Amino acid sequence: MLKKILFFILLPFAVLADDCVQYKKTPFVNIKNPEWTKTVELSDDPMDEYDGKYFSFKLHGITETSFMEKYNIDFNVIPERDGYCVIVNGVDATVGYENFLVKIDKSHKKNSCSYNAVLKHEEKHIDAYLSILTDMAPDIKNSIFNAMNSVMPIYAPDIESIDSLLEDMYKKLEKHPEIVLLHQKINAAQEIRNKRIDQDEDNHELKMCD
């Protein structure tokens, strides 16, 4: 008898959620890259040890950057029976590298030949990071679209519950397999392209300053 009562209570909620499916849309996806900055500074200490890591070779410079993702989901709220349907229209996304910090070993005097050689080398790393955004632009858009397109309209029993439902939606978007795989591809591309720069150059321009 208890099972029958529970079934009778839960069924209307399932029906209400199904009522929202009719409002499903193909989402739009707009993507832009953030405006980035470049800061160059000399290290306070020799860079044989940097960020807790020890190097068996002379580290002349290093480039650090931060990768940002910001998703602004556009949605509609439509009254449905005794509640509301929350429907995703699309997303305006900002994806890319935000800031670059180039650190040059303190042994290179500012504006000296060796300083400029190291800076030129590190700027190639910046170009490598930015090239990833250009080359992977279709992958980035497709991944975000597939993640957004998987989001079905959500039933909200009252206006007050909509914010928490949207928060859950953002969390699911961040953990969506398409987004996780995208991160892995970007990280792999970063490692490959940066290693290629270091291997191909081998401090060639710096050696010319000796």
Side-chain angles (χ1 to χ4, degrees):
M1 185 67 180
L2 179 59
K3 290 183 179 180
K4 292 183 179 180
I5 294 174
L6 286 174
F7 180 75
F8 176 77
I9 294 173
L10 292 174
L11 182 58
F13 288 98
V15 171
L16 288 172
D18 288 343
D19 287 342
C20 293
V21 174
Q22 62 181 309
Y23 300 113
K24 174 74 169 70
K25 295 182 177 181
T26 300
F28 69 79
V29 175
N30 295 324
I31 301 176
K32 68 176 183 178
N33 301 135
E35 294 185 7
W36 57 272
T37 62
K38 179 184 72 176
T39 303
V40 182
E41 61 183 40
L42 288 171
S43 64
D44 295 326
D45 301 304
M47 294 182 66
D48 295 335
E49 176 191 354
Y50 184 75
D51 195 25
K53 300 176 183 177
Y54 290 90
F55 297 88
S56 59
F57 54 88
K58 175 64 177 178
L59 186 65
H60 297 282
I62 195 166
T63 297
E64 298 176 338
T65 187
S66 54
F67 190 86
M68 73 163 295
E69 293 174 87
K70 183 179 180 182
Y71 300 101
N72 291 321
I73 296 177
D74 183 84
F75 63 94
N76 284 338
V77 177
I78 299 177
E80 183 68 33
R81 298 197 185 187
D82 295 328
Y84 303 88
C85 291
V86 182
I87 304 98
V88 170
N89 297 320
V91 62
D92 292 305
T94 303
V95 179
Y97 301 99
E98 193 173 15
N99 301 302
F100 292 95
L101 173 61
V102 177
K103 285 196 173 184
I104 298 176
D105 188 82
K106 61 182 296 185
S107 63
H108 303 288
K109 187 177 179 181
K110 190 172 183 178
N111 295 325
S112 65
C113 177
S114 62
Y115 175 95
N116 290 332
V118 174
L119 178 57
K120 186 175 181 180
H121 173 85
E122 295 304 323
E123 286 175 338
K124 290 180 180 179
H125 285 291
I126 294 177
D127 290 339
Y129 282 112
L130 297 176
S131 71
I132 293 171
L133 299 179
T134 301
D135 296 343
M136 294 189 63
D139 287 336
I140 293 172
K141 186 165 187 175
N142 288 338
S143 295
I144 295 175
F145 171 81
N146 290 335
M148 291 301 304
N149 198 38
S150 71
V151 178
M152 301 300 293
I154 303 171
Y155 176 76
D158 50 56
I159 287 290
E160 289 75 17
S161 63
I162 292 177
D163 285 344
S164 62
L165 290 172
L166 288 172
E167 185 64 29
D168 289 341
M169 190 183 297
Y170 277 106
K171 291 179 181 178
K172 289 179 180 178
L173 177 61
E174 293 174 354
K175 296 179 181 179
H176 192 279
E178 290 271 357
I179 302 300
V180 173
L181 180 59
L182 176 64
H183 291 165
Q184 294 172 348
K185 289 180 178 178
I186 291 174
N187 289 336
Q190 289 176 174
E191 184 174 355
I192 291 170
R193 297 189 188 200
N194 283 310
K195 280 186 176 180
R196 185 180 299 149
I197 290 171
D198 291 332
Q199 291 172 350
D200 291 348
E201 290 207 353
D202 192 27
N203 294 323
H204 173 70
E205 293 187 5
L206 183 59
K207 292 174 181 177
M208 294 177 65
C209 295
D210 295 338

